[in-house]
Amino acid sequence: MAEPLLDVRNLKIGATVYPPGEPPEDITIVHGVSFTLEKGKVLGLIGESGAGKSTIGLSSMAFGRGGVRITGGEVFVNGRDILKLDHGGLRKLRGDEVTYVAQSAAASFNPAKTLMEQVIETCLLHGLCDRAEAEKRAVTFFKKLGLPNPETFGNRYPHQVSGGQLQRAMTAMALCPKPDLVVFDEPTTALDVTTQIDVLAAIKEAIRDTGVAALYITHDLAVVAQVSDHIMVLRHGKKVEYGTTKQIIEDPHEDYTRALVSVRSIEHEEKQPTPKPVLKIENVTARYRGTNFDVLKNISVDLHPGQTLAVVGESGSGKSTLARVITGLLPPSAGRITFAGRELSREQTARKRDDLRELQMIYQMADVAMNPRHTVGTIIGRPLEFYFGLKGDAKKKRIQELLDEIEMGKGFIDRYPAELSGGQKQRVCIARALAAKPKMIICDEVTSALDPLVADGILKLLLNLQKIEHVAYLFITHDLATVKAIADSIAVMYRGQVVRYGSKSDVLAPPFDDYTDLLLSSVPEMRLGWLEEVIAHRKMESAGN
Amino acid sequence: MKLTLSATIGICLTALFVLSAIFAPWIAPYPLDLAVGGVWEDPSSQYWLGTDTIGRDILSRLIYGGQITIFVALASSLLAFSLGAFFGFLAAVKGGWTDQILSRIVDMMMAIPSLIVALVILSVLPLNLTVLILVMGILDSTRVFRLARAVAMDIAVMDYVEAAKLRGEGQGWVIFREILPNALSPLVAEFGLRFIFAVLFISTLSFLGLGIQPPLADWGGMVKENKDGLIYGKAAALMPAAAIAALAISVNLVADWVLGRTTSLKGGRGG
């Protein structure tokens, strides 16, 4: 066997944490992980947040982010231990041999320089080639990555191109110095599904054509299955399972991997519409103050009691604006909203207390949806006090009931949000909404900031609560897998309009309109060869047209 | 977070000033207003810091003077904070015209140097402690308003504030229960700084003769009384000046520490 390109042996990584009010504490983030990567191969690193994926990925450049220290083990790149390199040696390694593609391209590019300058910067600084040669290389990569007008693309500034294009430009930047290894750190996570697929295909093709090896870091197993040869599953800084992509997807050995593979396999039977919808939106049009175009155009949808209406679409389609209009934060310029048989005032401030109580909302970022200076007891207790006048023991008893309902049990009442995990925070937000005994809850991307397994737990909880409390959900999401799992009816939004609306079975059955087809076919599926199929299918279609 | 060395020094000195001010009648070796020695006597075992322009013990006057300087500075800072924070939060929460009107009034007040405004007002109004505190408090509240508004603006866009508004909570709850607890840390740190400015301001006013009036003693006034001594090489005027500097520095050290502490506490996790 040839010598591996990257050989990580018993890697240990630590950091110092500063818990408020307590002395600093040394913790271990990665507990002795070993793996090898051969030339031209792609290894997928997968795991939930805090699993140590990025930390391990960056260690292949001998880099530790923000106070993170490599405390033990060896990392060999091309046969030499890079942890022993001095500053100059590291500088040569990073850029010559190993390059990096970050998650948020928008935050990683310098807005004051053109893309070309930044893409060829490494080549020039490291003296790998002259400017003309570097620019030629860059244009080749722009072409390969499917960027528009590759000859002149480099003259643009970062803000002049879209998020997906920027991510591809960063891939070009990483490939330009012709490194041996590229570390991709969640390169498509911040993108919409419809954009993600193009970037994914471009990255895969570029990896294949250049023969570069890659570490592909992501939390989405379906994505990593499309690009990598091997997969390593990580959890809490330990290796859970390592194998070929085929083995991991089709025959996972460990329970944790099995759970990851079977995520979003919730079965939900669709309910029939009732004669009296709890929420009726008729011809609603809205625009933000000071702008001259409508962000919502003529929206009409119904939500039935005890059911879930999923509003799907990519970012900028107007999903969250619809929520703002329903809650009255953004008064619509036309149309009417009927809630529980009463017409709602357009302005939130003009609404009756019962309207406010019966229409609750859960946010995407549970972190900022709860006051960090309030305890869980105050957060859940306030609606009880505010709407029902509960006090003292009665309030406390009800809080505990709600905590039991969200499966959190005792001991949480006096905790602060900072002392909860991501999933627990979202549960507390759900309890706060339930405390008001609502008829309807707007769920705005409530699972998209969570790890897949945690998100699954939240979805199951929401479905259970729907059965018990008979509450209706308006579920805003960009994730079609979630939609399939929980919706009774679906509204597909595109550029402020509902392009497709109906029961789940109708919306998800062909014939599709163009946008719904694009959206549906862009959701990564957990099987090998999916990406190739979709790309081939699209090429055929565009050729047919 | 642990106490740093500078914070310890700051807290000890501040405590010393505050305690000696509170217990002045028991600590001061001589009465406030009694000529006990000769004019501008040098420091000695009898008069630790010497005597002043009419033979009063400087240490005793410093201790009594601290009482009034600290009291006036504290009262005016508290007033400035109550006014500034309330209107600042209100402007941030209400926005629109409320914000415009309040902000422009503050702009107008800040456009004129506060010392000049204070001099004009104090030369018209009767000179007493209440007037002094009111004038200083109101003038200083403009700066607190700016800070409170900026801090509250950041907090007012948080989802938890929106959630409270959606619940139907009134302005009172939003300001005092949602925003105030999260804005408190930067405001407390700012309080230290504003307090120092108040000390300097009252000292300046007294030095100019428009602050605290004799026979009451305060540090700025003491510098004024003894400034002629400097010509004859007498250090009497430097004693109250040093006290002003020492108080300013020690409170600053505490404020710095509070500010550093709050940034690490904010939001719990990850800075």
Side-chain angles (χ1 to χ4, degrees):
Chain A
M1 202 176 93
E3 185 181 73
L5 167 68
L6 174 69
D7 187 356
V8 176
R9 294 179 198 165
N10 198 22
L11 180 69
K12 290 197 179 82
I13 299 177
T16 310
V17 289
Y18 300 90
E22 283 166 49
E25 196 184 333
D26 282 328
I27 54 161
T28 309
I29 302 174
V30 175
H31 308 260
V33 168
S34 307
F35 62 92
T36 59
L37 177 64
E38 280 164 47
K39 283 198 172 67
K41 295 286 184 190
V42 180
L43 171 66
L45 297 180
I46 181 148
E48 58 199 47
S49 45
K53 314 182 288 287
S54 297
T55 314
I56 292 174
L58 286 170
S59 72
S60 66
M61 309 174 82
F63 182 72
R65 192 157 44 189
V68 168
R69 293 181 308 273
I70 297 171
T71 50
E74 294 158 308
V75 179
F76 290 92
V77 172
N78 284 326
R80 58 184 209 288
D81 189 352
I82 60 167
L83 299 185
K84 296 206 172 75
L85 290 179
D86 60 1
H87 187 74
L90 280 177
R91 198 172 162 272
K92 233 179 123 38
L93 169 88
R94 301 170 183 161
D96 280 15
E97 290 167 71
V98 190
T99 55
Y100 177 72
V101 177
Q103 172 172 357
S104 172
S108 306
F109 272 100
N110 182 342
K113 287 185 170 178
T114 63
L115 290 170
M116 180 59 88
E117 271 180 82
Q118 302 183 60
V119 167
I120 62 170
E121 193 180 14
T122 316
C123 286
L124 299 185
L125 282 180
H126 284 242
L128 299 176
C129 56
D130 59 20
R131 178 172 279 271
E133 162 67 13
E135 286 188 2
K136 219 170 83 193
R137 268 194 210 176
V139 170
T140 325
F141 282 119
F142 290 158
K143 224 177 264 170
K144 206 171 270 170
L145 289 160
L147 287 165
N149 309 322
E151 304 293 337
T152 55
F153 181 79
N155 299 337
R156 301 199 208 170
Y157 285 90
H159 67 272
Q160 294 173 315
V161 304
S162 72
Q165 289 169 352
L166 212 51
Q167 201 70 51
R168 278 180 273 176
M170 183 135 76
T171 308
M173 176 155 76
L175 292 172
C176 206
K178 301 206 167 153
D180 299 319
L181 172 67
V182 183
V183 180
F184 290 95
D185 194 353
E186 306 250 14
T188 62
T189 308
L191 304 174
D192 277 314
V193 271
T194 48
T195 322
Q196 162 172 296
I197 192 165
D198 295 330
V199 176
L200 210 54
I203 288 178
K204 184 169 185 178
E205 217 170 278
I207 290 176
R208 199 186 53 212
D209 292 355
T210 52
V212 68
L215 279 180
Y216 197 99
I217 299 162
T218 177
H219 65 275
D220 190 342
L221 193 52
V223 164
V224 83
Q226 308 310 320
V227 291
S228 54
D229 302 297
H230 288 82
I231 291 179
M232 181 158 76
V233 182
L234 293 159
R235 193 181 197 195
H236 306 319
K238 293 188 186 104
K239 176 155 78 177
V240 175
E241 191 168 357
Y242 177 88
T244 62
T245 303
K246 195 174 161 61
Q247 179 253 311
I248 296 280
I249 300 295
E250 288 169 9
D251 179 28
H253 297 322
E254 299 292 324
D255 286 343
Y256 180 66
T257 317
R258 264 196 288 277
L260 279 182
V261 172
S262 65
V263 80
R264 296 297 146 76
S265 52
I266 300 170
E267 292 293 325
H268 174 64
E269 211 165 298
E270 182 182 321
K271 295 185 213 80
Q272 289 307 310
T274 55
K276 264 181 90 176
V278 59
L279 177 81
K280 197 169 180 59
I281 299 173
E282 293 166 278
N283 306 320
V284 161
T285 298
R287 67 172 58 180
Y288 283 102
R289 221 173 52 186
T291 60
N292 59 0
F293 69 94
D294 294 325
V295 276
L296 291 180
K297 292 168 209 150
N298 223 3
I299 305 275
S300 298
V301 287
D302 291 345
L303 172 58
H304 299 277
Q307 300 196 5
T308 303
L309 167 66
V311 178
V312 209
E314 55 194 57
S315 42
S317 61
K319 307 183 298 281
S320 294
T321 307
L322 182 62
R324 293 184 74 81
V325 168
I326 297 171
T327 52
L329 289 172
L330 177 70
S333 49
R336 48 186 271 158
I337 303 171
T338 320
F339 177 67
R342 322 178 279 266
E343 186 172 342
L344 280 183
S345 316
R346 288 161 11 97
E347 303 259 3
Q348 185 259 339
T349 41
R351 290 187 182 174
K352 289 194 234 28
R353 190 172 273 214
D354 264 352
D355 288 337
L356 296 174
R357 177 179 69 77
E358 290 179 348
L359 179 61
Q360 290 292 311
M361 178 140 175
I362 308 173
Y363 294 83
Q364 172 175 6
M365 307 297 286
D367 271 340
V368 289
M370 291 186 288
N371 194 327
R373 304 274 175 187
H374 287 177
T375 60
V376 169
T378 313
I379 290 165
I380 303 179
R382 179 59 188 171
L384 299 172
E385 192 179 292
F386 185 73
Y387 294 124
F388 306 111
L390 286 189
K391 283 204 175 73
D393 282 347
K395 184 169 92 173
K396 210 160 182 187
K397 195 168 147 257
R398 181 76 185 120
I399 294 173
Q400 193 53 54
E401 278 172 24
L402 284 161
L403 281 174
D404 290 340
E405 251 183 282
I406 55 165
E407 298 154 15
M408 284 198 20
K410 292 203 181 346
F412 282 98
I413 287 191
D414 294 321
R415 290 222 205 158
Y416 284 91
E419 298 165 324
L420 303 175
S421 72
Q424 288 170 337
K425 282 180 196 163
Q426 199 55 285
R427 279 166 195 262
V428 172
C429 288
I430 294 173
R432 174 172 67 183
L434 284 179
K437 294 210 168 136
K439 286 203 165 90
M440 169 188 161
I441 300 180
I442 299 174
C443 306
D444 189 357
E445 301 267 16
V446 290
T447 55
S448 49
L450 301 172
D451 288 312
L453 289 179
V454 180
D456 248 27
I458 296 284
L459 291 180
K460 281 182 190 146
L461 174 71
L462 283 171
L463 283 175
N464 260 337
L465 292 171
Q466 187 166 51
K467 276 187 207 137
I468 303 167
E469 308 272 343
H470 204 64
V471 58
Y473 298 135
L474 183 97
F475 205 96
I476 295 169
T477 181
H478 65 275
D479 181 11
L480 278 155
T482 309
V483 172
K484 285 178 188 161
I486 59 149
D488 297 299
S489 47
I490 300 177
V492 180
M493 286 191 72
Y494 181 61
R495 298 196 175 170
Q497 278 171 312
V498 172
V499 291
R500 196 175 170 89
Y501 168 62
S503 68
K504 177 165 77 170
S505 47
D506 289 345
V507 169
L508 297 182
F512 298 117
D513 57 288
D514 288 350
Y515 181 69
T516 310
D517 188 34
L518 176 71
L519 200 61
L520 284 176
S521 66
S522 300
V523 180
E525 286 174 28
M526 195 93 62
R527 62 189 167 85
L528 301 181
W530 164 80
L531 183 63
E532 282 75 17
E533 276 172 37
V534 177
I535 298 294
H537 174 73
R538 287 195 185 165
K539 275 193 184 136
M540 218 168 65
E541 274 197 346
S542 59
N545 290 339
Chain B
M1 194 170 125
K2 271 172 55 183
L3 272 177
T4 56
L5 177 67
S6 57
T8 318
I9 297 173
I11 289 174
C12 289
L13 274 176
T14 311
L16 183 75
F17 278 116
V18 172
L19 290 178
S20 65
I22 294 172
F23 298 107
W26 291 276
I27 295 173
Y30 300 96
L32 167 68
D33 229 16
L34 194 67
V36 287
V39 172
W40 285 327
E41 272 185 38
D42 285 331
S44 62
S45 60
Q46 206 178 359
Y47 313 114
W48 287 6
L49 296 179
T51 58
D52 75 352
T53 172
I54 52 172
R56 294 172 296 196
D57 179 43
I58 289 186
L59 179 62
S60 306
R61 283 183 69 78
L62 262 188
I63 292 172
Y64 279 106
Q67 223 174 13
I68 233 161
T69 305
I70 292 174
F71 169 73
V72 172
L74 203 61
S76 66
S77 312
L78 279 175
L79 179 68
F81 262 76
S82 317
L83 281 176
F86 178 76
F87 285 111
F89 289 164
L90 194 70
V93 173
K94 280 265 191 187
W97 279 108
T98 319
D99 182 22
Q100 283 295 328
I101 292 171
L102 284 171
S103 294
R104 294 302 80 80
I105 291 176
V106 166
D107 283 351
M108 256 163 26
M109 286 169 73
M110 287 178 90
I112 313 168
S114 36
L115 187 60
I116 295 179
V117 179
L119 288 180
V120 171
I121 297 176
L122 290 175
S123 56
V124 177
L125 293 178
L127 277 176
N128 59 46
L129 280 186
T130 321
V131 171
L132 201 58
I133 289 169
L134 276 177
V135 168
M136 282 175 52
I138 291 171
L139 285 176
D140 228 20
S141 69
T142 55
R143 279 152 229 276
V144 182
F145 171 89
R146 280 271 175 97
L147 176 78
R149 179 177 170 275
V151 171
M153 283 277 198
D154 278 352
I155 300 170
V157 294
M158 291 295 198
D159 284 346
Y160 55 81
V161 178
E162 189 182 297
K165 284 183 185 164
L166 282 182
R167 201 187 303 140
E169 300 280 5
Q171 302 288 2
W173 174 277
V174 171
I175 289 179
F176 291 109
R177 298 301 305 272
E178 301 288 349
I179 292 181
L180 185 64
N182 290 290
L184 213 50
S185 326
L187 285 181
V188 167
E190 175 74 3
F191 184 84
L193 300 180
R194 298 264 51 105
F195 171 78
I196 297 159
F197 279 109
V199 170
L200 295 178
F201 201 73
I202 177 76
S203 302
T204 312
L205 284 177
S206 299
F207 182 79
L208 295 172
L210 282 165
I212 289 146
Q213 301 300 310
L216 289 175
D218 91 297
W219 296 347
M222 285 171 67
V223 176
K224 176 187 155 84
E225 289 161 6
N226 294 299
K227 68 178 193 304
D228 294 337
L230 290 173
I231 302 166
Y232 308 109
K234 301 292 178 189
L238 296 183
M239 302 301 173
I244 295 170
L247 180 65
I249 291 168
S250 53
V251 174
N252 240 322
L253 290 177
V254 181
D256 263 1
W257 175 68
V258 173
L259 198 65
R261 206 178 126 83
T262 53
T263 36
S264 69
L265 268 179
K266 218 180 197 172
R269 263 204 297 180

